[in-house]
Amino acid sequence: MQQLVRTIALAYSNLPRPHRVMLGSLTVVTLAVAVWRPFVYHPEQNPVVKNIELDTAQLRSLLPEASEPIDQPAPEDDIPQDEIDQKVAGEEGVHEYVVSTGDTLSSILTQYGIDMSDVSVLAQQNNELRNLKIGQQLSWTLNDAGELQRLTWEMSRRETRTYDRTANGFKATVQTQQGEWRNSVLTGKLDGSFLGSAKAAGLSTAEINSVIKALQWQLDFRKLKKGDQFSVLMSREQLDGKSEQSQLLGVRMRSNGKDYYAIRAEDGKFYDRQASGLARGFMRFPTIKQFRVSSNFNPRRLNPVTGRIAPHKGVDFAMPVGTPVLAVGDGEVMIAKPSGPAGNYVAIRHGRQYMTRYMHLKKLLVKPGQKVKRGDRIALSGNTGRSTGPHLHFEMWINQQAVNPVTAKLPRSEGLSGKDRSDYLATVKEVIPQLQLD
């Protein structure tokens, strides 16, 4: 064997240099191919599975970017309530909306976080819902899972359609009222609270709530004084001698010698005697410039660890610590203090239907009870409380229901114009003489 090796080596060394290089290269390649064996996967073999447990922090790093823990609880503080906030019997959990220009069933319901799949099924099974008209009222309830349970559509004062969730979608029922509508004027003078005085004048709790909503931007009902007067024009449906339903047509309130009016237009909204809007306009964002959204509104968000619903009732804006935070509308500061996981926290009530909340603030610039205007500085943004990065958590609530601040239909203060204004002013001429005070 050794003789053979010596003979090969001698022959190799006697070859010209180019031949030796070529032969050596071929030898190396041949040895490499002989040694390398690619892995071949055989499906019939059982794979080895290994479960790797991740803690909450590790799992969080795999989720879409956000600024606060996914199990972030809401502040424990409830907004201070008074007797004017009380709900009508059977109204708890019911959400209401008056159809406005440009509204569709989808745009209305999705801003409240209702799943688009429910909206699609409802619209596909009931084509008439594609023909909503300005001034009509929608109301709905949700089940415990946050899904649409019932939708009620008041098409007119005489016809109401109800859509109830079933195993196969939504079942529609139609209710037609056959009563006679009559107008009546109710007057009163404050002797104690407005609620008690209005009931003494013959108004129901639902009718009182409608009066408060109509005048909410002009008056603070908690500050009315003894001797203040009011006159209310109601249209009531009478059936077999009983009042089945009612609609507020106009109201006049005299407080400290000044008269305040709100009169209903065909669009279902209330305006003053000159057809000017009563609502105060809102800004869309609570900052001078728009910042990146780091976590979206999602009332049905699931906690990936527990599998339970952990609602995110607002929007997170990623912004540097110390960014000025602005009130999005005129209102009164209800809360301004540290609040555990929410950090430094401000809540502002706008009228009687709207509320905004601002969390994780660095510094508070307002105090409870303080009146603020749209655009006023109320705080500096921060990273306080349970937060994984500098950001502002911003919420908007309408009728005690959280809505998506980015898509919600915000009140606007413009008045009527053109034919709508002419028709309204004709109505004013009929309503005002009826709103007499004692």
Side-chain angles (χ1 to χ4, degrees):
M1 183 66 178
Q2 293 178 353
Q3 183 65 33
L4 178 60
V5 171
R6 283 197 296 269
T7 302
I8 294 174
L10 181 61
Y12 178 79
S13 61
N14 290 332
L15 291 173
R17 187 173 183 280
H19 291 76
R20 290 200 305 271
V21 173
M22 182 178 294
L23 182 59
S25 300
L26 290 172
T27 302
V28 172
V29 172
T30 302
L31 290 173
V33 172
V35 171
W36 178 71
R37 293 182 179 180
F39 175 78
V40 178
Y41 174 71
H42 299 285
E44 67 276 4
Q45 294 179 353
N46 293 325
V48 177
V49 178
K50 184 178 181 180
N51 292 323
I52 301 176
E53 296 293 336
L54 299 178
D55 60 30
T56 304
Q58 290 172 312
L59 184 59
R60 182 65 178 166
S61 67
L62 301 178
L63 296 173
E65 182 181 5
S67 302
E68 59 187 37
I70 203 164
D71 57 348
Q72 170 75 48
E76 297 178 358
D77 305 283
D78 289 328
I79 300 300
Q81 302 286 305
D82 52 46
E83 62 177 2
I84 297 177
D85 292 314
Q86 72 178 15
K87 287 281 189 178
V88 179
E91 189 184 26
E92 197 69 34
V94 177
H95 311 298
E96 299 178 346
Y97 187 91
V98 177
V99 179
S100 301
T101 304
D103 281 337
T104 64
L105 184 67
S106 174
S107 68
I108 294 170
L109 297 183
T110 54
Q111 68 177 309
Y112 286 83
I114 296 176
D115 195 87
M116 188 61 194
S117 61
D118 281 348
V119 180
S120 298
V121 170
L122 182 61
Q124 290 172 3
Q125 293 180 339
N126 305 278
N127 290 329
E128 67 275 11
L129 282 168
R130 301 178 188 273
N131 300 314
L132 299 179
K133 295 182 179 180
I134 296 173
Q136 293 177 334
Q137 180 168 299
L138 294 176
S139 59
W140 62 89
T141 57
L142 308 178
N143 59 25
D144 293 338
E147 300 170 327
L148 182 62
Q149 183 65 32
R150 166 179 286 185
L151 175 78
T152 301
W153 177 22
E154 294 183 14
M155 299 183 65
S156 66
R157 295 204 299 184
R158 293 198 176 278
E159 184 176 347
T160 300
R161 300 195 177 195
T162 303
Y163 306 86
D164 290 296
R165 175 182 286 275
T166 67
N168 299 316
F170 292 88
K171 180 182 178 181
T173 56
V174 180
Q175 181 180 10
T176 303
Q177 297 287 349
Q178 301 297 330
E180 181 181 355
W181 287 86
R182 297 176 183 174
N183 292 352
S184 57
V185 177
L186 301 99
T187 60
K189 182 178 294 187
L190 259 71
D191 183 14
S193 69
F194 173 71
L195 187 66
S197 302
K199 284 185 176 180
L203 291 165
S204 68
T205 303
E207 292 170 343
I208 294 171
N209 285 341
S210 64
V211 169
I212 292 171
K213 289 179 181 179
L215 289 172
Q216 63 178 309
W217 301 108
Q218 302 183 75
L219 288 169
D220 186 342
F221 280 81
R222 296 171 300 170
K223 297 182 179 179
L224 294 176
K225 298 179 180 179
K226 183 176 181 178
D228 288 347
Q229 296 174 277
F230 58 89
S231 179
V232 179
L233 176 61
M234 299 295 306
S235 180
R236 289 169 166 172
E237 183 190 38
Q238 299 292 324
L239 183 62
D240 296 331
K242 297 181 180 180
S243 178
E244 293 294 323
Q245 56 180 328
S246 61
Q247 187 178 81
L248 175 64
L249 299 182
V251 57
R252 174 187 181 184
M253 177 74 70
R254 177 172 292 173
S255 179
N256 291 326
K258 183 178 180 180
D259 286 340
Y260 301 88
Y261 289 87
I263 299 171
R264 184 186 185 93
E266 284 297 319
D267 63 4
K269 299 179 181 179
F270 289 87
Y271 300 85
D272 66 12
R273 287 176 293 176
Q274 288 75 41
S276 298
L278 298 177
R280 302 291 185 265
F282 277 57
M283 300 189 305
R284 176 63 68 183
F285 301 102
T287 49
I288 295 175
K289 71 173 186 176
Q290 184 178 348
F291 289 89
R292 176 176 57 85
V293 173
S294 59
S295 186
N296 284 304
F297 173 80
N298 185 0
R300 299 182 64 193
R301 179 181 65 171
L302 292 178
N303 186 314
V305 178
T306 65
R308 298 177 181 176
I309 293 179
H312 192 243
K313 296 182 179 180
V315 170
D316 292 348
F317 296 101
M319 63 182 65
V321 171
T323 301
V325 177
L326 314 179
V328 297
D330 296 0
E332 179 182 352
V333 177
M334 307 301 291
I335 294 175
K337 67 176 185 178
S339 185
N344 293 324
Y345 156 52
V346 172
I348 300 176
R349 168 177 263 167
H350 313 268
R352 302 299 304 189
Q353 291 177 274
Y354 298 86
M355 183 184 70
T356 52
R357 309 205 295 184
Y358 314 75
M359 304 178 194
H360 306 298
L361 306 168
K362 175 185 178 182
K363 183 178 181 181
L364 304 176
L365 302 179
V366 292
K367 297 178 180 179
Q370 181 176 336
K371 299 289 187 180
V372 294
K373 294 290 186 180
R374 181 180 66 176
D376 284 353
R377 290 190 179 194
I378 59 173
L380 300 179
S381 70
N383 191 27
T384 57
R386 295 185 61 186
S387 171
T388 62
H391 76 290
L392 171 68
H393 177 91
F394 173 57
E395 296 181 0
M396 174 165 285
W397 293 66
I398 303 177
N399 293 326
Q400 302 179 34
Q401 166 72 19
V403 301
N404 189 340
V406 176
T407 61
K409 195 73 171 285
L410 301 179
R412 296 189 294 182
S413 57
E414 71 265 20
L416 298 171
S417 60
K419 186 177 185 302
D420 291 336
R421 185 173 188 275
S422 300
D423 292 344
Y424 175 79
L425 292 177
T427 300
V428 170
K429 289 183 179 181
E430 295 179 2
V431 172
I432 292 294
Q434 301 179 63
L435 297 175
Q436 297 297 316
L437 297 174
D438 295 335

